[in-house]
Amino acid sequence: MPQQKDIVKIAIQMPGAYPQLIQLDQKKPLSAVIKEVCDGWNLPGPDNYALQYADGVQTYITESNRLDIKNGCILRLTKAPGRCAEDLYKGIQSSDSGVRCDSLKELAKVSTDVTFAQEFISRDGHLLLVKIVEDANESNVIMTHTLSGFMELMDHGIVSWENLSSVFIKKIASFVNAKLTDASIQQVSLDILESMVLSSHSLFLEVKQEITMERLIAHLQVTNQQIQTKAMALLMALLQTAGDTERQSVNKPALLLSTWALKPNEEAGLEMHVPDILAFLNKKNLRQYIHKNIIHSSGSVQDKMAHYLYVLQSVTLNHMEARMRTPMDCYSQEQRDILHNLRLVAFETETENSLNHERRRSLCAKEFKKLGFSNNSNPGQDLVRTPPGLLALDTMCYFAARYTDAYSRFVLENSSREDKHECPFGRSSIQLTLILCEILRIGEPPSETGSDYHPVFFSQDRLMEELFCVCIQLINKTWKEMRATQEDFDKVMQVVREQITRTLSSKPTSLELFKNKVNALNYSEILKLRQTERLHQEETLALPAVELKERLKPELLELIRQQRLNRLCQGTMFRKISSRRRQDKLWYCRLSPNHKMLHYGDAEEDTDSPTIEELQKKIPVADIQGLLTGKDCPHMKEHKGKQNKEILDLAFSITYDVEEDSLNFIAPSRTDFCLWTDGLSVLLGRDMTSESMHSELEILLSMEIKLRLLDLENVPIPKSAPVVPKPPSNYNFCYDFSQTEQ
């Protein structure tokens, strides 16, 4: 007799028949179960049938995934994957275009299932699709279904991308390069090319020979957000793969050169490094197109596009890393000349050549001291520290050359002050460059889940240098506001860091907007913000307030628990991160309203919130054994050494059943991570521990205490809420800030 844990109570449907309610014995062979079901409906040939989920993504049930079936699942008796593959294979070759279209449309739908994909590929069905693409004789609708089905089949990794012919690659590239191609065909073609680039180095070389940069940039100027996103995905895949190739080939100069087809029929084999590619993109106004057509478009920037914008920003800024990590060579005449040129721009000395060596050396030391270098006899020593290394010299030279008047005014103004009150330009520049490197995360590889980009980056050709020019003048302004002396240098730099960080967090869309906001956030405003935060802390630390807090805490904690459970009931879309950096696969997870089941399943990006019925997989909350986070998660251990800290901070898993199976998550943001780990902790009867919970509890406690301590004596409190006034006849008084920011 089978043990109770091996029995699953399920329903099985079939069109035109009454459903069967059975007790599925997980120890019994699946073929025997299907035979019993077929016998119940008097169906001959049980080998021609299979079971699959009836709701959501209709996955075939196999011996390998049958343990995912839980109590209450609804399955459907359908054609076996082999029979389905054979029928579609014949339908695709039909002489009737309508049959071919319907077969390819169905193929694109069922190819998401790996069991079907194996059967179809075993019949060389994927080669049939390749031939359809190479011949290019079909209508746009049929071609779209063909490419979609091909993409789904290849995504399972059963067949290597490297087996594809050059003819096929050229044809796919032609769909992308053509100006009048159907949008659906271009979208899937961009997707296929991205997968090729990420799958192997040889395909990367072949794809970038076929794709023209002008067409990729042109795709960013269309109104179709899907085309924009896919074009950015391919562009970022090409850039990142080129960067990986350079790093791997750093000791192999012959392999270091990257080639790119810059223009149709123009030097297709031109050798380029990643900085050259970025320079070419800059020349073609890529960032201006992004700024106009994506950031300032009528719709909001989607999550995937935000990720690609973040990657472009990160890859571009990271090409300053080499300068940031290179110390100044005090014996390099070229670098010494650049440094001395800073002095000459600030102090135009006509009689210097007539002085002897000792007097000239004394004059140089005096002027470098006025410039604010710590080591005035050998200022190059100040730039030996890395970071910021030579990058600090670059930013100083850019400021002196681009804004010569502002540079001279800064130096001469501080030269005329008393020694202890002068703001040291050299020392401030070096520290400011370091602060900007840390804020902009120069040197950190782009995260697979990051999406924190700065809109101002896409409005400016040289963001780092231009930010430096604004902020070095901000330092001088803040120095005067604080009436600082040399001993206050670190305090001033802390205030400046806070000014920059707070301003960038408001996401200014132009340098002018950043400049206005950061200058408006003067030292007095920073003090007010700090004072507000300090008063808030003092109010909450008084003894009566602490006692009141303790009395209120249980009630407010229960409120947060309910909010977490409600949030789990709404559900969240999670991404499946693969080794190829593709982010297309999504899945959704939500808690049932009665808090007894965790429902999950694959989902499409354009689906806002799949219903519970659409999510075919589920886990009883009673079966959940534990909650794991970070490096303790099974999916983090599998990729040990490959995951950066940002992904580790977003990873969590739940273990369930006696077999210790696990459901693995990578949260889309730190907020979602906190909401889900708190909610799961509540379901497991544990205390919530996330930083969001502590922050929200403090906010609620503070609000509640302030309400309780209000002086309401002789203040009439109405028994009913005031009447809400009618909406105005028009909203012409509403100001549109977006026009100003542009």
Side-chain angles (χ1 to χ4, degrees):
M1 177 143 180
Q3 297 182 21
Q4 192 62 36
K5 69 174 184 177
D6 296 328
I7 299 297
V8 183
K9 297 178 180 179
I10 60 171
I12 300 180
Q13 298 175 338
M14 189 180 74
Y18 288 106
Q20 295 185 35
L21 300 176
I22 69 168
Q23 293 189 353
L24 173 64
D25 182 0
Q26 293 285 32
K27 296 297 184 183
K28 184 183 290 186
L30 202 55
S31 57
V33 174
I34 293 172
K35 186 177 185 307
E36 289 179 3
V37 172
C38 289
D39 291 343
W41 282 318
N42 297 317
L43 296 173
D47 293 341
N48 292 324
Y49 294 94
L51 294 173
Q52 65 178 184
Y53 289 104
D55 301 319
V57 181
Q58 295 164 357
T59 310
Y60 279 104
I61 305 300
T62 64
E63 293 291 353
S64 59
N65 67 13
R66 64 183 295 176
L67 293 178
D68 293 335
I69 301 173
K70 305 299 177 185
N71 283 315
C73 276
I74 302 174
L75 305 183
R76 182 176 63 189
L77 189 69
T78 186
K79 282 195 292 187
R83 181 181 159 198
C84 182
E86 187 65 36
D87 291 348
L88 289 178
Y89 186 82
K90 291 177 181 177
I92 292 169
Q93 300 178 81
S94 171
S95 57
D96 186 333
S97 62
V99 174
R100 291 201 305 275
C101 185
D102 291 341
S103 298
L104 287 164
K105 183 178 180 180
E106 181 66 17
L107 175 70
K109 179 183 175 183
V110 298
S111 292
T112 56
D113 185 273
V114 65
T115 309
F116 169 83
Q118 289 169 336
E119 291 288 347
F120 191 76
I121 289 172
S122 69
R123 291 165 171 76
D124 289 334
H126 62 296
L127 299 180
L128 190 60
L129 302 183
V130 169
K131 188 175 187 309
I132 293 173
V133 173
E134 291 177 350
D135 293 343
N137 295 324
E138 298 288 1
S139 65
N140 287 343
V141 175
I142 289 180
M143 188 59 72
T144 301
H145 293 322
T146 302
L147 293 172
S148 299
F150 176 80
M151 185 66 206
E152 293 294 347
L153 289 170
M154 295 299 291
D155 236 12
H156 295 293
I158 301 168
V159 180
S160 171
W161 286 92
E162 296 191 45
N163 294 335
L164 298 172
S165 67
S166 296
V167 176
F168 179 82
I169 296 171
K170 289 177 185 291
K171 183 58 68 174
I172 297 294
S174 72
F175 292 147
V176 173
N177 291 331
K179 294 182 180 179
L180 301 176
T181 307
D182 181 78
S184 299
I185 293 177
Q186 286 189 330
Q187 187 176 323
V188 188
S189 298
L190 287 164
D191 221 357
I192 291 172
L193 290 176
E194 184 201 358
S195 292
M196 289 182 185
V197 169
L198 295 173
S199 64
S200 79
H201 178 68
S202 60
L203 283 175
F204 157 67
L205 296 173
E206 199 163 349
V207 169
K208 70 179 180 179
Q209 287 287 355
E210 300 299 331
I211 292 297
T212 58
M213 288 286 236
E214 279 84 350
R215 288 308 301 154
L216 284 183
I217 294 173
H219 287 316
L220 297 177
Q221 300 174 57
V222 300
T223 55
N224 187 323
Q225 286 192 346
Q226 292 295 325
I227 293 286
Q228 286 181 336
T229 304
K230 298 298 183 185
M232 273 295 288
L234 176 55
L235 189 55
M236 291 306 99
L238 288 162
L239 266 178
Q240 287 186 278
T241 308
D244 293 343
T245 302
E246 287 191 7
R247 282 189 291 275
Q248 293 166 6
S249 308
V250 72
N251 295 320
K252 303 174 184 177
L255 296 177
L256 182 61
L257 300 171
S258 295
T259 56
W260 199 299
L262 293 181
K263 298 181 182 178
N265 306 318
E266 181 185 319
E267 299 186 63
L270 185 62
E271 295 173 336
M272 297 185 71
H273 300 292
V274 173
D276 298 323
I277 298 168
L278 292 171
F280 179 79
L281 292 173
N282 191 42
K283 181 182 175 183
K284 292 297 178 183
N285 301 320
L286 172 66
R287 278 188 282 196
Q288 288 88 328
Y289 290 135
I290 291 173
H291 194 253
K292 178 183 177 182
N293 298 303
I294 297 176
I295 294 176
H296 279 298
S297 67
S298 56
S300 60
V301 177
Q302 300 298 313
D303 289 346
K304 288 174 73 172
M305 179 58 81
H307 170 72
Y308 296 128
L309 295 179
Y310 154 79
V311 171
L312 177 58
Q313 172 187 291
S314 182
V315 170
T316 305
L317 291 174
N318 277 350
H319 280 88
M320 296 182 177
E321 183 182 4
R323 297 290 286 177
M324 182 185 77
R325 301 202 184 281
T326 304
M328 179 166 176
D329 181 2
C330 296
Y331 297 100
S332 167
Q333 187 61 44
E334 181 186 358
Q335 293 177 15
R336 286 164 59 192
D337 288 345
I338 293 171
L339 195 55
H340 277 279
N341 191 53
L342 279 174
R343 177 182 65 85
L344 294 174
V345 172
F347 310 103
E348 297 180 3
T349 309
E350 296 179 1
T351 59
E352 184 176 324
N353 293 330
S354 62
L355 301 176
N356 61 36
H357 178 71
E358 286 300 322
R359 292 194 63 185
R360 187 185 302 128
R361 187 173 179 180
S362 174
L363 178 64
C364 289
K366 182 179 178 182
E367 291 180 346
F368 274 122
K369 183 179 180 182
K370 288 182 179 180
L371 268 177
F373 286 92
S374 301
N375 192 330
N376 52 13
S377 60
N378 187 6
Q381 288 294 329
D382 289 16
L383 295 162
V384 169
R385 184 183 61 157
T386 58
L390 287 176
L391 188 57
L393 182 60
D394 295 342
T395 52
M396 284 189 280
C397 290
Y398 182 88
F399 180 51
R402 182 75 185 271
Y403 303 97
T404 307
D405 291 343
Y407 168 67
S408 299
R409 188 164 55 249
F410 185 113
V411 175
L412 295 176
E413 180 184 328
N414 285 285
S415 299
S416 61
R417 291 181 192 163
E418 296 179 30
D419 283 351
K420 65 177 182 177
H421 285 289
E422 63 184 13
C423 178
F425 173 77
R427 185 182 174 192
S428 299
S429 297
I430 293 168
Q431 190 62 27
L432 174 61
T433 305
L434 178 61
I435 288 172
L436 289 175
C437 286
E438 291 171 351
I439 292 174
L440 298 175
R441 298 185 175 184
I442 295 176
E444 293 184 23
S447 158
E448 292 179 350
T449 58
S451 59
D452 185 20
Y453 69 94
H454 298 293
V456 67
F457 170 81
F458 299 95
S459 71
Q460 205 62 44
D461 286 340
R462 304 184 68 172
L463 178 68
M464 176 70 180
E465 292 88 341
E466 290 293 343
L467 281 182
F468 174 87
C469 294
V470 172
C471 295
I472 192 66
Q473 296 174 77
L474 175 69
I475 289 176
N476 193 35
K477 175 175 171 287
T478 304
W479 187 279
K480 288 186 286 186
E481 290 171 353
M482 294 178 66
R483 298 179 181 178
T485 63
Q486 295 292 333
E487 290 76 17
D488 300 320
F489 180 82
D490 290 338
K491 293 178 183 177
V492 174
M493 297 312 293
Q494 286 174 5
V495 172
V496 170
R497 178 191 284 270
E498 191 172 341
Q499 289 170 316
I500 297 169
T501 305
R502 287 182 185 270
T503 305
L504 283 177
S505 66
S506 70
K507 301 295 182 185
T509 54
S510 68
L511 186 69
E512 190 62 30
L513 202 58
F514 170 82
K515 184 178 179 179
N516 293 338
K517 286 187 175 183
V518 81
N519 281 307
L521 191 62
N522 54 33
Y523 181 53
S524 299
E525 290 297 320
I526 293 291
L527 285 180
K528 287 178 185 176
L529 290 169
R530 290 179 174 178
Q531 181 72 8
T532 303
E533 292 165 1
R534 192 180 302 115
L535 285 173
H536 172 71
Q537 289 181 346
E538 288 174 357
E539 284 178 10
T540 56
L541 292 176
L543 185 60
V546 171
E547 292 176 355
L548 184 56
K549 266 186 177 184
E550 291 303 316
R551 286 172 52 193
L552 295 172
K553 194 177 286 186
E555 179 185 344
L556 295 177
L557 277 172
E558 182 58 32
L559 183 66
I560 295 174
R561 287 190 196 98
Q562 290 303 317
Q563 187 269 341
R564 294 298 195 258
L565 292 175
N566 290 339
R567 185 64 184 80
L568 263 61
C569 289
Q570 291 176 15
T572 302
M573 189 81 77
F574 296 94
R575 294 193 180 278
K576 295 179 182 178
I577 304 296
S578 72
S579 58
R580 294 185 299 157
R581 294 194 287 237
R582 285 186 59 79
Q583 297 198 340
D584 294 352
K585 295 299 180 181
L586 302 169
W587 65 287
Y588 202 87
C589 188
R590 66 190 305 170
L591 182 66
S592 63
N594 62 7
H595 302 167
K596 291 186 177 180
M597 287 284 180
L598 209 56
H599 298 263
Y600 65 99
D602 293 339
E604 298 296 328
E605 187 171 23
D606 54 3
T607 305
D608 290 334
S609 180
T611 62
I612 285 177
E613 291 73 24
E614 293 173 324
L615 302 173
Q616 75 279 14
K617 299 179 183 178
K618 55 187 175 181
I619 299 172
V621 171
D623 289 351
I624 298 177
Q625 304 293 320
L627 172 65
L628 305 173
T629 60
K631 61 184 179 181
D632 295 328
C633 298
H635 57 317
M636 293 296 103
K637 290 179 179 177
E638 290 170 8
H639 301 90
K640 192 173 182 181
K642 297 181 182 178
Q643 304 295 350
N644 59 31
K645 185 178 184 300
E646 190 168 346
I647 290 184
L648 283 173
D649 288 343
L650 298 175
F652 64 98
S653 302
I654 56 173
T655 57
Y656 58 93
D657 286 346
V658 290
E659 291 92 353
E660 286 291 309
D661 289 333
S662 65
L663 183 62
N664 303 316
F665 302 76
I666 294 179
S669 67
R670 188 65 188 175
T671 302
D672 287 300
F673 173 87
C674 294
L675 289 171
W676 273 85
T677 51
D678 283 346
L680 292 169
S681 295
V682 172
L683 291 174
L684 294 172
R686 301 176 184 173
D687 292 334
M688 297 178 291
T689 58
S690 75
E691 62 263 28
S692 286
M693 184 277 295
H694 291 295
S695 171
E696 290 166 19
L697 181 61
E698 281 301 314
I699 292 170
L700 291 171
L701 283 170
S702 175
M703 289 173 59
E704 192 67 28
I705 287 173
K706 286 176 181 177
L707 287 171
R708 298 279 181 113
L709 297 179
L710 278 176
D711 185 6
L712 297 177
E713 189 175 352
N714 299 323
V715 177
I717 300 175
K719 294 182 179 179
S720 58
V723 178
V724 178
K726 293 181 180 180
S729 58
N730 65 67
Y731 294 89
N732 295 335
F733 56 85
C734 183
Y735 187 74
D736 186 0
F737 286 95
S738 63
Q739 299 300 320
T740 305
E741 292 185 2
Q742 289 181 27

